[in-house]
Amino acid sequence: MTEQTDPTMTEAEAAEFHGAMEKAQVYALWEHWDGRYATEPEPPCLWPWESIQPLMQTAVGAMTMDQAAERRVLCLANRDLDENAFAISPHFAINVQILAPGEHAAPHRHSIHALRFVLAGGSTTIVDGKRCPMDPGDMILTPAWTWHEHLHDGTEPAIWVDVLDSPIHRHFDTVGWESGPTNEIPDRIPDTAFHTPGLTPAGETGNDHHSSMFHYPWVSAVEALVAVPAAVDGSRLLRYTDPVTGAAVMNRLDCYLLGLDKGVETIRRRSTANVACVVADGAGTTRVGEETVTWQKNDIFTLPHGNWISHCATSEAKLFMVSDREILRRLDLLHDEVEG
Ligand code: GTQ
């Protein structure tokens, strides 16, 4: 960075110039320019399940559901981001939520899109009146302004991963919130009407914001994944889509399921999009730029944009992936590269 570039200025003139600039609320670009705008890719972050799980159990005793917060969640915080971001990635946050048997997380709705990926099952989420079972591996959408509440009539604590596009709303100052009781629930077509591939309700055109189907069962995802032809590197990739439009499940959160064969390193890829992975099954390593993340079931880790990335499973693995790809695509900023 240059202190002062005009060699004709005396020190006194430069000081006066800087004082005047400060007063006028401007700065000289050449004094803050390091030759480029782009920054180095961020390193990956890992939250091993063995360090999160005990905290979740302790959290149950730390707060009752009648106390202040409406949800019992721990927010994964990426210390490389703004400390107030409560987020793991620039455009989405991941929280882990626990609900004990008999507990109820009261209905509310907000402008933030959210989705859940279930780690320990037994509870039910009601989304705009649709009852969505929460079995392990199930993925459930609670799109912007849908009413949602969580019930638990099982016997063991239910745990799931929440993904929210809250950083986007903080950035644009668009957070909106309404507490229950539920009111004005729109008429929704039951999820069952979308469960048979190739058949959708006639006349239903869907929308540009989110899928009309809210519950994506794990059994269906696995059945589809094993039938997807493997790429040359043995990987299989499924995208969770809106059954009516074929688009991403929500316009700001785009989800995938990656199947990995044991012992085969995947071809390196790089993207302008950010990804977070939840290990649904198996164990392995992921190379992210110069770093290697070693992971196992239920671990959560980030793949920050701009890094070359490859995976290698040590036992057959499945990674649930959530990304901001759809945001970048809609802004014409999505750029993917594959090695070779
Ligand atoms: O379950 O509705 O992790 O409203 C953060 C905010 C979960 C939820 C979170 C929420 C929820």
Side-chain angles (χ1 to χ4, degrees), residues 27-170:
Y27 68 87
L29 178 61
W30 65 88
E31 294 185 352
H32 297 264
W33 175 248
D34 65 356
R36 61 197 179 87
Y37 279 110
T39 52
E40 288 298 311
E42 295 287 343
C45 281
L46 167 72
W47 288 266
W49 185 236
E50 63 183 13
S51 61
I52 302 295
Q53 187 179 28
L55 296 176
M56 298 311 300
Q57 304 300 341
T58 310
V60 175
M63 191 203 102
T64 68
M65 292 308 290
D66 317 325
Q67 284 170 322
E70 302 214 346
R71 300 293 187 261
R72 190 190 288 112
V73 301
L74 297 185
C75 309
L76 307 187
N78 183 343
R79 310 278 178 210
D80 294 331
L81 299 177
D82 177 346
E83 62 178 298
N84 296 317
F86 295 113
I88 68 161
S89 182
H91 303 142
F92 51 86
I94 290 193
N95 303 337
V96 186
Q97 183 162 171
I98 185 162
L99 196 66
E103 288 185 330
H104 177 214
H108 67 202
R109 60 176 177 172
H110 36 70
S111 60
I112 295 168
H113 279 322
L115 64 84
R116 346 230 148 240
F117 185 77
V118 181
L119 303 183
S123 57
T124 302
T125 286
I126 305 176
V127 188
D128 267 356
K130 297 208 228 187
R131 289 184 81 89
C132 305
M134 299 181 89
D135 290 323
D138 285 5
M139 199 278 282
I140 294 141
L141 308 182
T142 53
W145 293 115
T146 53
W147 286 103
H148 52 281
E149 62 192 292
H150 315 301
L151 316 166
H152 192 354
D153 45 24
T155 53
E156 297 298 321
I159 303 179
W160 63 85
V161 171
D162 290 315
V163 187
L164 307 107
D165 66 352
S166 43
I168 292 288
H169 291 275
R170 290 222 176 82

Side-chain angles (χ1 to χ4, degrees), residues 170-236:
R170 290 222 176 82
H171 180 76
F172 288 108
D173 195 12
T174 52
V175 178
W177 191 277
E178 186 182 350
S179 292
T182 50
N183 57 76
E184 294 173 9
I185 300 183
D187 269 344
R188 294 273 181 202
I189 298 172
D191 266 21
T192 328
F194 302 102
H195 275 174
T196 308
L199 292 171
T200 50
E204 172 65 16
T205 52
N207 65 72
D208 199 23
H209 314 291
H210 62 79
S211 170
S212 309
M213 189 169 93
F214 295 157
H215 178 218
Y216 291 74
W218 179 243
V219 282
S220 309
V222 172
E223 194 183 3
L225 187 72
V226 296
V228 170
V232 286
D233 59 9
S235 63
R236 298 163 203 271

